[in-house]
Amino acid sequence: SAESLFGEAPSRMVLSVSPGKSAAARQRLEAAGIPVAEIGEVGGNRLNLPGALDLPLSELEATWQRTIPAAMG
């Protein structure tokens, strides 16, 4: 959801775990009362968040590299 990707609620974080440990991580977080949302997978040369975006890492890196210089004029 857009909220999962762009929400600015306090104490939000991204956690990456290996696929074999995903279920255990989810169980521990839910048992602690921490809301969990799976938003995508890490691997390869693309950032793919199904239903939201699918971009090559090279494009994301290039955008990241030029953002601050462009903002500074």
Side-chain angles (χ1 to χ4, degrees), residues 2-59:
E3 182 180 335
S4 295
L5 294 173
F6 305 111
E8 296 183 15
S11 302
R12 187 174 298 260
M13 63 182 270
V14 174
L15 175 67
S16 178
V17 298
S18 64
K21 296 182 179 182
S22 179
R26 177 180 282 277
Q27 288 173 344
R28 291 185 73 180
L29 292 165
E30 289 174 345
I34 300 170
V36 177
E38 185 175 326
I39 61 171
E41 288 186 22
V42 176
N45 61 359
R46 301 184 73 79
L47 175 62
N48 183 1
L49 304 176
L53 61 94
D54 182 10
L55 297 167
L57 294 181
S58 59
E59 182 178 332

